[in-house]
C-alpha cells in the first residue's frame, strides 16, 4: 500500500486491468456481449438511474472497454475517459455536450483534413459554427473569442505537417475566455505529450493510430481532465442543469471532477450510439501495452529518415520539428522532449509529379490513408486526405500540392532509408 | 493538514475504520446526490443514519430520519455533511457538542469551510472536504472503474465479484497520494484571477 507513482510503462501494462473475477484470466477478456443481467429490479433501477456502478448494455459501456478507458485516463493524467467507435465519434460526442445550435467553437486551422471537413460541413448542419484560428499566431485565437464561444480545439502535433502547437499559450486564452481547451493528442500519444499537464481540459484521440498502433482497429477516446467548472455560468446546460432524461439529475453536481466523461457516456454515447466494439477495445488495449517501446522506436526511425531526406539532393524541404532549424524545433524541445513523433511531410524539388512518382516507386512503404501503424506509410495529402480543401486551405493546413506525408514505422531504419534511396533515384 | 488533496491512505483509513455514518442533509428524493450516496454506503455495509429536520417521521431506505445530531442518541463514527459551504459551521459546532465526539467529519463534493475544519481538527477529529465518500469508496475498491473512471490504483489480484451488499477491499496499491496532477492544477487555478 505504499503510495508511489508507477512509471509510464507500468501504467501502460497494468492501469485499469485486473485478473477476471470469475475465471482469474490474466489478460483482459473480450466481453463480447450486448447486455448484462441485473441482480434484481432494484439493482436494474439503480443502474438506469445512475445510482450504482455497473454494466447495463454495451452501447453505454462494456467491461473490456472500461479497462481501455481507465488505462488511457491513467496515461493522460485525467480523472476518467470514454472510449467510442472512432476518433471522429469522439469529436462529435465532446462537442455535443458543449454546444447548442448557434454556438461557436474556435479550431486551429492546422488539423487532420477529416476534422476540417467534419467541422466545416457536418457540424454546420447541427448549427455548431467553427471559427478558424492560426495555431502559429496565438493572438488569432484571442481575436476569435465571442460571447457564443464554447470551446477551443487544437492538435498537439498537427496532422499532416507534424508542427507542434503551443498548448500552454492557447490554454491561457481558453482560461481567460472561460471555455475548455480540447486537445487532439492522436499524433503525440501521452508517451510524448500529456496535454493536461499543459492546461488542456479535455483530450481526444483517434485510437486507430499510435495508441492501437498496429493498423488493425478503429477507435476513439475522450479524456476528462477534471479541471473545468461547468456550472460557473450558464454556458454548459448539459452539465449544470437538471437533465430531464435522468429525472432531473445535475451531472456536475452528482459526478464532480469526472462529470464531463459521464455526460459524454450517458448523454452522448447513449443517445448518439457510436459504441466501440469489445473486440476493438481489446486489440487497442493490447497495442497500448507496448506503446512506450513502439513510440521510442517510431521517433528514433523518424529522426533518422528525416535527417537522411534533409541531405538528399532531390528534396526541397523536410518539415520535421525534431530537426534543428525547423521553425517548431523549440516547441518540440519544450513539449515533446522524448521525440517529435513519427508523422511529417517533405517536398521534392520536382514538385507534384516527383511526389506522385516517389509514392509509386516505394516498395516497403505502403501507400494508404492512415498514420501510426507498425508499418511505414506514405501518402500524397493534396490528392487524398486533404483533397476536399481548395489550394489556399491546403497550403494553410500544411498539405501543399508538392508535399508528401510519411508515417514512419518500427522496421529497421536502414531498410526504410534504402527504400527511399531507390525510389528517389528511380 | 492540507485539504487541497488527500493521501489515499488517509481516505482509506477513514473508510476502513468507520462503521456508522450520520448523513446531515440526506434527501428522500431519489435523484439527489445525497440519496445516491446514502443508498450506496448502506449497500456497502455502513450503518447509515439520515439527519434532516424536514423529514422527521419518514424513513430513508428503512432508516428513520432524525432532526439533529443530538437526536441520534448513540455514538456515531462519522458525520457526512450534505450542505453548502455556508451551512457547514453550525453542523460542526453541533457535532463538537456530541459525547463521545465523532471520529470523522466529512464535507461533500463542492463543500468546504476551512475555519470549521480547523475547529474540528483542534478537537482531534479527522476532516475531509470537497469529496464524496461514495466516489472515494468506488475508486479505492476499483468498483468505479466500470464507469471508465481513473481509480488511480493497481492490483494483480483477482477482482471482486461486483455483487450487491458487500464490503469491498480498499487496500489496492495507490498511484501516488492525493488527487491527479490535473485536479491539483484545477484547485490552484481557482485562485488564479485569469
Ligand atoms: C489527428 C487525427 N484526429 C482524428 C482522426 C480521426 O480518427 P478516426 O479515423 O479514428 O475517426 C485522425 C485520423 O486520421 C487523425 O489523424
Amino acid at each position: 500500500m505504499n503510495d508511489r507513482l508507477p512509471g509510464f510503462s507500468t501504467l501502460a501494462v497494468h492501469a485499469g486491468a485486473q485478473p477476471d473475477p470469475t475465471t482469474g484470466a490474466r489478460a483482459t477478456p473480450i466481453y463480447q456481449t450486448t447486455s448484462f443481467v441485473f441482480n434484481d429490479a432494484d439493482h436494474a433501477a439503480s443502474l438506469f438511474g445512475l445510482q450504482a456502478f455497473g454494466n447495463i448494455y454495451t452501447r453505454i459501456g462494456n467491461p473490456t472497454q472500461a479497462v481501455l478507458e481507465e488505462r488511457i485516463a491513467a496515461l493522460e493524467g485525467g480523472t476518467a475517459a470514454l472510449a467510442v467507435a472512432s476518433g471522429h465519434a469522439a469529436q462529435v460526442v465532446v462537442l455535443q455536450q458543449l454546444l447548442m445550435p448557434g454556438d461557436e467553437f474556435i479550431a486551429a486551422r492546422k488539423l487532420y483534413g477529416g476534422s476540417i471537413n467534419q467541422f466545416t460541413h457536418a457540424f454546420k448542419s447541427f448549427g455548431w459554427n467553427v471559427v478558424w484560428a492560426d495555431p502559429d499566431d496565438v493572438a488569432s485565437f484571442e481575436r476569435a473569442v465571442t460571447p457564443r464561444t464554447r470551446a477551443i480545439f487544437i492538435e498537439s502535433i498537427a496532422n499532416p505537417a507534424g508542427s507542434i502547437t503551443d498548448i500552454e499559450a492557447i490554454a491561457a486564452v481558453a482560461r481567460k475566455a472561460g471555455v475548455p481547451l480540447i486537445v487532439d493528442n492522436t499524433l503525440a500519444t501521452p508517451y510524448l505529450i500529456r496535454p493536461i499537464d499543459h492546461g488542456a481540459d479535455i483530450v481526444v484521440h483517434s485510437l486507430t493510430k499510435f495508441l492501437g498502433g498496429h493498423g488493425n482497429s478503429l477507435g476513439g477516446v475522450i479524456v476528462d481532465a477534471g479541471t473545468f467548472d461547468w456550472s460557473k455560468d450558464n454556458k454548459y446546460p448539459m452539465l449544470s442543469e437538471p437533465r430531464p432524461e435522468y429525472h432531473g439529475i445535475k451531472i456536475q453536481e452528482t459526478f464532480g471532477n469526472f462529470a464531463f466523461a459521464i455526460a459524454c457516456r450517458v448523454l452522448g454515447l447513449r443517445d448518439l450510439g457510436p459504441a466501440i466494439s469489445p473486440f476493438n477495445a481489446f486489440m487497442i488495449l493490447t497495442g497500448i501495452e507496448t506503446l512506450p517501446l513502439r513510440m521510442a522506436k517510431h521517433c528514433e526511425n523518424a529522426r533518422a529518415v528525416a535527417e537522411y531526406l534533409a541531405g538528399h539532393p532531390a528534396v526541397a524541404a523536410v518539415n520535421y520539428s525534431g530537426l534543428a532549424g525547423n521553425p517548431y524545433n523549440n516547441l518540440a524541445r519544450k513539449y515533446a522532449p522524448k521525440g517529435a513523433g513519427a508523422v511529417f511531410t517533405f517536398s521534392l524539388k520536382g514538385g507534384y509529379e516527383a511526389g506522385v512518382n516517389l509514392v509509386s516507386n516505394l516498395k516497403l512503404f505502403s501507400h494508404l490513408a492512415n498514420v501510426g501503424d507498425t508499418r511505414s506509410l506514405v501518402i500524397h495529402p493534396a490528392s487524398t486526405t486533404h483533397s476536399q480543401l481548395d489550394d489556399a486551405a491546403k497550403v494553410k493546413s500544411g498539405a501543399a500540392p508538392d508535399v508528401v506525408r510519411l508515417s514512419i514505422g518500427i522496421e529497421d531504419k536502414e531498410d526504410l532509408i534504402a527504400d527511399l534511396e531507390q525510389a528517389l533515384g528511380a | 493538514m492540507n485539504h487541497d488533496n488527500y493521501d489515499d491512505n488517509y481516505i482509506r483509513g477513514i473508510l476502513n475504520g468507520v462503521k456508522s455514518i450520520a448523513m446531515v442533509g440526506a434527501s428522500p428524493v431519489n435523484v439527489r446526490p445525497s440519496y445516491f450516496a446514502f443508498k450506496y454506503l448502506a449497500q456497502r455495509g455502513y450503518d447509515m443514519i439520515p439527519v434532516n429536520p424536514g423529514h422527521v417521521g419518514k424513513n430513508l431506505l428503512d432508516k428513520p430520519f432524525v432532526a439533529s445530531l443530538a437526536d441520534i442518541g448513540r455514538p456515531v463514527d462519522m458525520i457526512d455533511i450534505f450542505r453548502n459551504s455556508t451551512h457547514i459551521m453550525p453542523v460542526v459546532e453541533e457535532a463538537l457538542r456530541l459525547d463521545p465526539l465523532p471520529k470523522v467529519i466529512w464535507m461533500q463534493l463542492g463543500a468546504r469551510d476551512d475555519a470549521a475544519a480547523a475547529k474540528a481538527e483542534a478537537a482531534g477529529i479527522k476532516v475531509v472536504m470537497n469529496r464524496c465518500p461514495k466516489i472515494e469508496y468506488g475508486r479505492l475498491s476499483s468498483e468505479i472503474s466500470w464507469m471508465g473512471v481513473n481509480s488511480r490504483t493497481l492490483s494483480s489480484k483477482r477482482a471482486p465479484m461486483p455483487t450487491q451488499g458487500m464490503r469491498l477491499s480498499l487496500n489496492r496499491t495507490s498511484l501516488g497520494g492525493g488527487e491527479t496532477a490535473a485536479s491539483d492544477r484545477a484547485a490552484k487555478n481557482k485562485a488564479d484571477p485569469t
Side-chain angles (χ1 to χ4, degrees):
Chain A
M1 265 209 282
N2 59 330
D3 279 3
R4 74 182 285 282
L5 188 63
F8 190 91
S9 298
T10 303
L11 294 178
V13 172
H14 287 281
Q18 213 177 333
D20 184 65
T22 48
T23 63
R26 180 63 269 220
T28 297
I30 304 167
Y31 289 90
Q32 192 69 31
T33 181
T34 55
S35 349
F36 302 84
V37 291
F38 305 118
N39 301 336
D40 50 43
D42 186 53
H43 180 224
S46 298
L47 285 170
F48 271 103
L50 303 182
Q51 295 171 3
F53 309 121
N55 297 295
I56 301 173
Y57 185 67
T58 291
R59 176 158 39 73
I60 303 167
N62 173 285
T64 313
Q65 172 189 342
V67 176
L68 174 64
E69 290 164 345
E70 185 171 358
R71 182 151 316 160
I72 295 171
L75 293 175
E76 286 285 8
T79 53
L82 174 71
V84 292
S86 68
H88 264 18
Q91 294 168 189
V92 182
V93 168
V94 162
L95 290 175
Q96 188 222 359
Q97 309 321 309
L98 303 178
L99 274 73
M100 295 290 146
D103 285 342
E104 295 170 4
F105 69 108
I106 303 169
R109 202 172 263 130
K110 284 190 179 148
L111 291 184
Y112 163 57
S115 299
I116 296 177
N117 281 330
Q118 186 191 43
F119 295 178
T120 310
H121 303 295
F123 288 179
K124 194 175 168 196
S125 72
F126 302 165
W128 305 342
N129 300 315
V130 61
V131 180
W132 299 105
D134 179 356
D136 301 330
D137 172 14
V138 174
S140 71
F141 284 82
E142 268 191 284
R143 286 194 300 273
V145 173
T146 76
R148 297 305 298 258
T149 306
R150 291 294 176 269
I152 296 180
F153 187 102
I154 60 174
E155 288 178 5
S156 53
I157 300 183
N159 185 356
S163 52
I164 312 273
T165 307
D166 190 347
I167 303 171
E168 287 175 13
I170 297 174
V173 174
R175 208 174 315 147
K176 199 167 151 203
V179 302
L181 175 65
I182 307 164
V183 178
D184 180 338
N185 199 31
T186 299
L187 295 199
T189 81
Y191 178 76
L192 297 179
I193 301 178
R194 300 206 328 161
I196 292 172
D197 294 344
H198 300 292
D201 300 295
I202 297 163
V203 176
V204 294
H205 283 276
S206 167
L207 298 173
T208 318
K209 320 297 172 188
F210 292 98
L211 278 161
H214 295 70
N216 58 27
S217 305
L218 249 81
V221 75
I222 300 155
V223 183
D224 185 350
T227 46
F228 199 84
D229 182 358
W230 306 104
S231 306
K232 217 171 28 204
D233 33 44
N234 298 327
K235 285 191 211 166
Y236 304 101
M238 296 285 267
L239 289 123
S240 65
E241 297 304 309
R243 292 313 307 172
E245 51 279 69
Y246 289 103
H247 310 292
I249 284 178
K250 297 181 190 171
I251 302 282
Q252 182 175 23
E253 178 191 55
T254 308
F255 295 102
N257 70 0
F258 53 91
F260 187 76
I262 296 287
C264 286
R265 184 187 303 278
V266 304
L267 303 175
L269 181 59
R270 188 197 69 162
D271 292 354
L272 300 176
I276 188 169
S277 89
F279 183 74
N280 279 19
F282 170 82
M283 293 300 281
I284 293 163
L285 197 52
T286 303
I288 290 174
E289 293 182 6
T290 56
L291 178 71
L293 300 172
R294 287 186 290 104
M295 287 312 287
K297 180 79 168 168
H298 278 295
C299 290
E300 179 198 324
N301 283 359
R303 163 173 285 281
V305 170
E307 280 170 355
Y308 161 77
L309 289 171
H312 196 285
V315 171
V318 177
N319 302 308
Y320 184 58
S321 67
L323 294 182
N326 180 280
Y328 299 98
N329 190 242
N330 283 339
L331 288 173
R333 284 168 195 273
K334 171 175 178 175
Y335 286 105
K338 283 190 275 191
V343 175
F344 64 93
T345 59
F346 67 103
S347 52
L348 290 164
K349 288 181 182 153
Y352 184 92
E353 282 295 303
V356 171
N357 278 337
L358 173 78
V359 169
S360 62
N361 289 332
L362 284 164
K363 294 178 173 152
L364 199 53
F365 282 78
S366 305
H367 179 204
L368 55 75
N370 192 23
V371 295
D373 195 323
T374 49
R375 288 154 278 262
S376 290
L377 314 174
V378 62
I379 202 164
H380 180 233
S383 59
T384 55
T385 52
H386 288 64
S387 62
Q388 290 93 334
L389 307 182
D390 62 34
D391 278 357
K394 277 178 189 154
V395 172
K396 277 184 184 155
S397 70
D402 60 340
V403 160
V404 174
R405 183 186 75 189
L406 299 179
S407 172
I408 301 297
I410 59 173
E411 303 97 331
D412 287 305
K413 55 179 176 275
E414 296 77 12
D415 296 327
L416 300 177
I417 290 170
D419 192 29
L420 286 162
E421 178 84 21
Q422 67 77 23
L424 286 167
Chain B
M1 177 88 202
N2 170 8
H3 289 287
D4 290 329
N5 60 72
Y6 299 101
D7 194 281
D8 277 357
N9 280 332
Y10 180 71
I11 301 289
R12 189 180 275 130
I14 288 171
L15 292 176
N16 276 333
V18 304
K19 292 190 169 61
S20 53
I21 303 177
M23 186 182 283
V24 177
S27 170
V29 180
N30 70 359
V31 299
R32 298 301 303 153
S34 62
Y35 177 92
F36 287 24
F38 190 96
K39 183 172 175 185
Y40 179 81
L41 294 170
Q43 281 174 349
R44 289 285 161 257
Y46 292 100
D47 170 12
M48 300 299 295
I49 303 151
V51 182
N52 191 330
H55 297 289
V56 174
K58 292 187 222 160
N59 285 345
L60 180 50
L61 301 171
D62 299 332
K63 311 278 182 185
F65 274 100
V66 296
S68 68
L69 294 175
D71 291 345
I72 296 171
R74 60 187 171 98
V76 280
D77 296 331
M78 173 165 133
I79 315 284
D80 181 12
I81 308 177
F82 254 96
R83 304 294 313 273
N84 293 338
S85 301
T86 50
H87 295 104
I88 299 291
M89 187 60 101
V91 181
V92 169
E93 283 169 348
E94 199 189 339
L96 288 172
R97 290 195 292 272
L98 293 176
D99 183 20
L101 288 173
K103 298 187 186 80
V104 180
I105 292 182
W106 187 303
M107 304 173 203
Q108 270 299 321
L109 264 184
R112 176 162 181 161
D113 181 338
D114 286 278
K119 253 190 171 168
E121 284 172 334
I125 297 173
K126 286 186 178 164
V127 175
V128 176
M129 298 193 282
N130 188 26
R131 292 287 185 284
C132 172
K134 173 184 176 185
I135 289 172
E136 295 303 306
Y137 192 103
R139 190 173 69 72
L140 293 172
S141 68
S142 88
E143 196 188 6
I144 204 168
S145 299
W146 299 117
M147 308 287 285
V149 172
N150 185 2
S151 71
R152 307 198 313 276
T153 61
L154 295 182
S155 174
S156 60
K157 299 286 183 286
R158 199 183 270 216
M161 293 278 279
T163 52
Q164 262 189 306
M166 180 179 133
R167 287 298 287 246
L168 302 174
S169 165
L170 306 182
N171 300 341
R172 299 157 54 86
T173 301
S174 277
L175 310 187
E179 282 289 60
T180 59
S183 299
D184 292 346
R185 191 169 56 74
K188 275 191 222 110
N189 286 349
K190 287 255 158 72
D192 179 344
T194 64

